[in-house]
Amino acid sequence: MNDTILEVVDASKHFAGLKAVNGVSFGVTRGEILGIAGPNGSGKSTLFNLITGVPFGPTSGEIRFQGQRIDRWPAHRIARAGLARTFQKDAEFPDLTADETLLVCGTYNGRLGRAAALTRSDEVLGLVGFTDARRGIPSRNLSVYEKKQLMIASGLMSRPAVLMLDEPASGLTKPEIESLDRLLVAVNASGVTVLLIEHVLSLLLSISQRLIVLNQGSVLAEGNPAEVVRNEEVITAYLGGRKQ
Amino acid sequence: MDTLLATLVSGLVLGSLYALMASGLSLVWTTLGVFNFAHGALMMVGAFIAWTVSEAVGAGPVAGVVAGTLGAGLIGIVIERLVIRPFYASRNMLLVTAMTTLAVTIILERGAQMIWGPRLKQLPPLVDGEIRLFGNAISAHEALLLVAAPVILIALWRFTVSSKIGRSLRAVGQNQDSAALIGVDVPKAFALAFAISAALAGLTGALLGSIRFITPAMGSEPLTKAMIVVIFGGLGSLGSTAGAAYLIGFIEAFLVLWVGLYWTPFALFLLMILVLLLRPNGIFGKR
């Protein structure tokens, strides 16, 4: 673990008796694609919340990003430091166009001037394969896949070190998932470390180099994706005890 | 014909006033999701500060208007910090802030009574003389209000659409979490939206201070009208709010002509109830 870019140390989040995340520790190596899986309610999105500070940080534990403790930082500072994240929700800013969304991302997160932000918009929209003709319409009128493209593009505006994606494949058709697969590999190849929460197992197995499975707020298994999904405990957690 | 034109002109003056008031309310609503009941009181404070600088200090009406605008804006920042920001995370934020901003209204009104006393005050007009509009004489100051309101509204609209900060305010209004994730300092954006809104209220008060008397309660009636406007137009966009403001201005002017001053508020509220029943999202509302 020499080149650990992000480190979660014994992080917990408790809500009035409910342990949503309970003593989770893991490291993310620079340049990898790390998959995070787990049944509904296992604490995957809460874990992302703790790391990015949106809408809350951890109750206890430490989060380190590029050697700095970030678990008490305000959300915008974490974002500006180079940790980008997308949500499950489909349109981030329903009334802003793709161009406007990226301009806000570029000028705030990326701290770019207007001209530089526009140039960067062209780059990231090209990278995610967003159709030029759709750039001027309000995001709520975009297709599901276009919204995902825009979400990933906005995450990339600031040239983040780490991109955290929360179920990007949800609601996509099979060909769209295949496009997303290629897109995420391309993003990763451009030097961005990727953390991927996903229910679509084929995507996780296809692109992630390591897989963590959460269950009831704790890490259940961690390691090579193909091996992790064969783990008895993992199968039990997913299928509720039935034999496969 | 003369009466009709005079009523139209009067509706235009009222509409300008309501547009300035309601656009501030709308800005705070779309950015913070808070309905600011202290908006009328901020308008009143702006008028008193303008009077103090212009008359008591003797710096003249222009300096008064500038001071009233900035002063109300600063007080807006303090209000946001003290009685709105602590409740951002609250699940009942809308209800809690309705109560806290109502409390601020009482504090500001009583405070103004203690500082400036009960005697009626008035500002001199920014510009002297009269102007003829459609054959009707109106004061040059009112004419200034007619011109200033659309100019300010268009400037505000341009600001939210094409400036970096304006775009960030819209982003915060649509999705606070995502806005924070793309690097926008959300609390700062909230404070800024509140300050701009409060400054607009102060400016309105300072301009109104030479048309009406300045009293601690002067903000309540324009606030009520601005509420009717935002219910009419829907609280969404600046354009529909401004459109509704002028519409209400004209309706009020004609109601005064037809049913008299006494029954006008009754008729306006009846209209508001009808709109709420038939078009709950406002007559220009989409959803």
Side-chain angles (χ1 to χ4, degrees):
Chain A
M1 290 287 220
N2 284 334
D3 205 8
T4 304
I5 188 164
L6 179 69
E7 201 176 6
V8 177
V9 186
D10 198 22
S12 297
K13 181 69 191 182
H14 299 173
F15 300 101
L18 171 75
K19 293 171 178 174
V21 169
N22 197 17
V24 167
S25 299
F26 66 91
V28 183
T29 312
R30 191 183 296 273
E32 76 171 335
I33 298 183
L34 173 65
I36 298 175
N40 285 326
S42 58
K44 306 184 295 293
S45 295
T46 308
L47 180 63
F48 268 25
N49 291 345
L50 304 190
I51 296 172
T52 54
V54 174
F56 41 67
T59 312
S60 63
E62 280 182 27
I63 319 269
R64 292 177 190 280
F65 177 58
Q66 297 185 320
Q68 285 180 291
R69 257 191 91 161
I70 60 166
D71 46 273
R72 293 287 174 266
W73 285 12
H76 66 272
R77 189 171 166 205
I78 297 176
R80 286 179 188 174
L83 251 175
R85 175 205 179 166
T86 69
F87 283 104
Q88 284 179 39
K89 291 178 256 187
D90 52 15
E92 295 181 299
F93 307 112
D95 289 339
L96 297 189
T97 65
D99 275 334
E100 288 180 319
T101 304
L102 295 186
L103 208 48
V104 180
C105 298
T107 46
Y108 280 86
N109 237 353
R111 308 217 165 179
L112 302 171
R114 188 184 163 85
L118 290 175
T119 312
R120 180 70 185 152
S121 304
D122 291 342
E123 282 171 28
V124 293
L125 287 178
L127 179 65
V128 301
F130 195 88
T131 317
D132 271 349
R134 310 282 284 167
R135 290 172 62 164
I137 61 172
S139 314
R140 73 177 113 82
N141 298 333
L142 296 172
S143 76
V144 177
Y145 186 64
E146 285 170 332
K147 285 172 186 167
K148 308 272 182 184
Q149 286 177 308
L150 176 58
M151 225 153 40
I152 294 169
S154 54
L156 292 173
M157 275 302 282
S158 55
R159 302 178 191 279
V162 176
L163 179 63
M164 302 169 60
L165 302 161
D166 195 345
E167 295 195 27
S170 67
L172 296 185
T173 63
K174 207 159 177 231
E176 286 170 344
I177 292 176
E178 283 160 14
S179 307
L180 182 69
D181 184 320
R182 287 190 294 276
L183 167 57
L184 294 183
V185 170
V187 167
N188 181 239
S190 74
V192 180
T193 307
V194 176
L195 245 72
L196 175 69
I197 290 181
E198 196 44 79
H199 271 306
V200 177
L201 219 49
S202 60
L203 180 65
L204 271 182
L205 291 177
S206 154
I207 66 171
S208 49
Q209 287 130 24
R210 251 178 350 121
L211 182 64
I212 290 178
V213 176
L214 293 182
N215 189 34
Q216 295 178 355
S218 304
V219 175
L220 185 67
E222 182 180 354
N224 177 299
E227 286 168 18
V228 167
V229 293
R230 283 198 297 271
N231 181 315
E232 278 294 324
E233 280 185 280
V234 171
I235 294 170
T236 312
Y238 260 101
L239 302 178
R242 278 183 288 139
K243 293 276 179 214
Q244 202 178 19
Chain B
M1 194 62 191
D2 274 359
T3 327
L4 184 71
L5 286 175
T7 310
L8 277 175
V9 170
S10 151
L12 211 52
V13 174
L14 286 173
S16 308
L17 169 67
Y18 299 159
L20 286 177
M21 282 293 282
S23 57
L25 272 182
S26 171
L27 179 68
V28 164
W29 173 261
T30 49
T31 315
L32 289 80
V34 163
F35 195 91
N36 178 20
F37 282 96
H39 201 66
L42 281 163
M43 185 197 117
M44 171 273 296
V45 170
F48 270 115
I49 294 175
W51 179 86
T52 304
V53 171
S54 170
E55 302 308 294
V57 178
V62 175
V65 169
V66 172
T69 308
L70 296 180
L74 284 177
I75 293 170
I77 293 175
V78 175
I79 293 174
E80 191 272 342
R81 192 76 192 82
L82 294 183
V83 307
I84 296 180
R85 189 170 297 190
F87 305 109
Y88 281 144
S90 162
R91 248 181 303 166
N92 302 319
M93 176 178 162
L94 185 60
L95 204 60
V96 173
T97 52
M99 288 191 275
T100 55
T101 53
L102 272 173
V104 166
T105 301
I106 297 169
I107 293 167
L108 289 180
E109 287 186 358
R110 297 291 150 82
Q113 182 96 19
M114 284 164 69
I115 297 171
W116 286 288
R119 191 179 291 173
L120 296 179
K121 294 177 174 57
Q122 196 160 28
L123 278 162
L126 275 180
V127 274
D128 289 317
E130 284 189 343
I131 282 176
R132 293 195 76 78
L133 191 65
F134 306 130
N136 293 281
I138 61 166
S139 74
H141 185 88
E142 281 177 310
L144 182 75
L145 184 66
L146 291 188
V147 179
V151 168
I152 291 165
L153 290 176
I154 291 170
L156 188 63
W157 173 68
R158 290 305 303 167
F159 166 75
T160 57
V161 171
S162 21
S163 74
K164 175 185 164 182
I165 295 170
R167 264 192 305 269
S168 81
L169 292 186
R170 283 163 66 211
V172 168
Q174 289 170 42
N175 192 333
Q176 290 173 24
D177 289 347
S178 291
L181 282 179
I182 59 172
V184 179
D185 187 338
V186 175
K188 207 156 116 191
F190 280 164
L192 184 71
F194 210 87
I196 293 172
S197 165
L200 266 175
L203 173 65
T204 315
L207 290 175
L208 196 64
S210 40
I211 301 174
R212 298 186 187 171
F213 286 115
I214 303 171
T215 68
M218 73 180 284
S220 77
E221 189 248 326
L223 176 72
T224 315
K225 296 293 165 55
M227 279 165 63
I228 297 178
V229 165
V230 292
I231 285 167
F232 238 76
L235 268 166
S237 76
L238 208 54
S240 57
T241 305
Y246 284 101
L247 194 61
I248 292 290
F250 287 127
I251 292 175
E252 184 178 343
F254 278 100
L255 281 173
V256 170
L257 179 67
W258 292 329
V259 302
L261 204 54
Y262 186 77
W263 288 101
T264 297
F266 170 78
L268 274 178
F269 274 104
L270 190 69
L271 208 60
M272 183 176 100
I273 292 167
L274 283 178
V275 168
L276 280 175
L277 283 174
L278 301 173
R279 298 287 308 248
N281 292 311
I283 43 173
F284 304 124
K286 283 176 218 126
R287 280 155 284 164

